Amino acid sequence: MFNRNRGLRRAAAIVSISSLVTGCGILSSGSSKDEGPIVVGTTSTPSTLDPAASWDGSWELFRNVYQTLLSYPNGATAPEPDAAENCAFADSTNQVYRCELREGLTFSNGDRLDAQAVKHSIDRIKDINVNGGPAGLLGSLERVQAPSEREVVFHLNKPDATFPFVLATPAMSIVEPGGYPADALREDGEVVGSGPYTLQSYDEGERAELVRNDRYKGFAERHNDAVTIRYFKDSAGMVKALRDGEIQVTYRGLAADDVITLQGGAAKEEDLQLVEGSGTEIRYLVFNPEDPWAGRREVRQAVAQVIDRAAIAHKIYQDTVDPLYSMVPKGLTGHTTGFFDDYGDPSVPKARELLTDAGITEPVPLTLWYTSDRYGSETAREFKEIKRQLESSGLFTVTLESRPWKTYVEGYQKGEYPVFGRGWSPDFPDAENFIAPFVGEQNALGTPYLAPEITGELLPRSRRESDRADVEKEFERAQQILLDDARLLPLWQGKQYVAVSTDISGAERAMDPSSIMMMWQLYRKTSW
């Protein structure tokens, strides 16, 4: 039995630390002028600098250097204007969406940002159509018009109340037409945007240096003049840099051991703070339908019957994550526990029966792939535990393979992996965003998943409803379809932990609803 009291003590520790952080913020404010950039560490390295190519963690950089029509000011759970002065549906059927831009917008290089630039930015996403890229977010978009210098009109091919949420994702970043071709990705390593910062320099896999963009006009109130993002291979190197004073903030990728250590009092002793962020990040397995073994539903169901999520959460992540039994995480309207309801506790006899009934009597060979440098230090240990669980059943023989993120993405987009691991942080806080991105001919996985009832009936019906509480039944049915197919196997739901030096404030306000860090919220304390 797991120690529930220990979990409660940890929760109490987080509350007290968070309260201390908030209190510090009240006592001081200001910027970090003349003190050099604030340095933020993360294990999440961008795969690209071009928004038209990315439906992944590259958005963490994009949010800070590019601008979108809509975004999420601190505390907002619904999109609000950023590059736009105002946006709204112009009809009663949620099929025509109109935005008016702020006056006098320019890109960081001084070029004018007008409605044509917005149209160019959105059109090129669909025209370039990168496999596994953000074009999958624009399935309801028919065309974009720019009838005047400041007016942009989006015509949808069906009602879609979630379209404003899509426009608020960093995938819809506005780019400068002169530097970003309409029919090809930008590949010179440069960035021209209109966001709060400009990208002063970029060393792939090492660092990104951001400096204040004096031409920026938007909602962000910047509390610092510069931020440097350093990219680490693992949590150990990142935490060492924090303790050595080389960085002041860790953003993504803290290992469970480090979280537990900081929760246990080490944070106070080392002049560090621990802040807990949004808890809707998930991990899951993807099965390739073209693989001779992973493509068989009975095999997938047998894997689902054997996997022990609670053991993974406890042994590998030390209860800093929770077992997940649906692709829609807890806390969102429509969440279910279908994988627990249908499969119950892990059972080898039930899994054996599934395989035997399908005529499979020998151990099933499976190759599981994971990324070696994306989701944190525990990923390799997690997959070793999955391998142990599957092989100890006597029903599977498992080979583990891994690649760095950039080549890993290329591999799954080409359909090279029988089974592979992915993580997902929401594009926007709605159950749809844990279903729609994974289905259809084109999706975020680069692996076609034809689910006509979901794409043709359930999602279109849900998108007619502006009140998202009224679409619970549609999402429950969609999750049942995913459950029956078992092509996607949810594993766990996590939280975002941020470790911060005590001389930095603003971290508790720096997370948007997609757990993307708004670097402009960070600042050095000037007094106590």
Side-chain angles (χ1 to χ4, degrees), residues 1-4 6 10 256-257 260 308-323 381 385 492:
M1 180 177 294
F2 298 159
N3 189 335
R4 303 297 182 190
R6 181 176 63 184
R10 289 175 184 161
D257 287 344
I260 298 302
D308 189 340
R309 297 168 177 80
I312 293 171
H314 182 62
K315 292 173 61 176
I316 307 303
Y317 293 96
Q318 302 182 60
D319 301 325
T320 60
V321 304
D322 294 319
R381 291 174 52 211
E385 171 62 16
W492 54 263

Side-chain angles (χ1 to χ4, degrees), residues 99-111:
C99 290
E100 183 179 9
L101 298 177
R102 295 176 186 262
E103 284 194 63
L105 290 174
T106 62
F107 291 101
S108 58
N109 64 357
D111 288 356

Side-chain angles (χ1 to χ4, degrees), residues 237-247 270:
M238 182 168 64
V239 171
K240 182 180 186 303
L242 179 69
R243 287 175 168 146
D244 291 346
E246 297 174 8
I247 64 175
E270 300 181 68

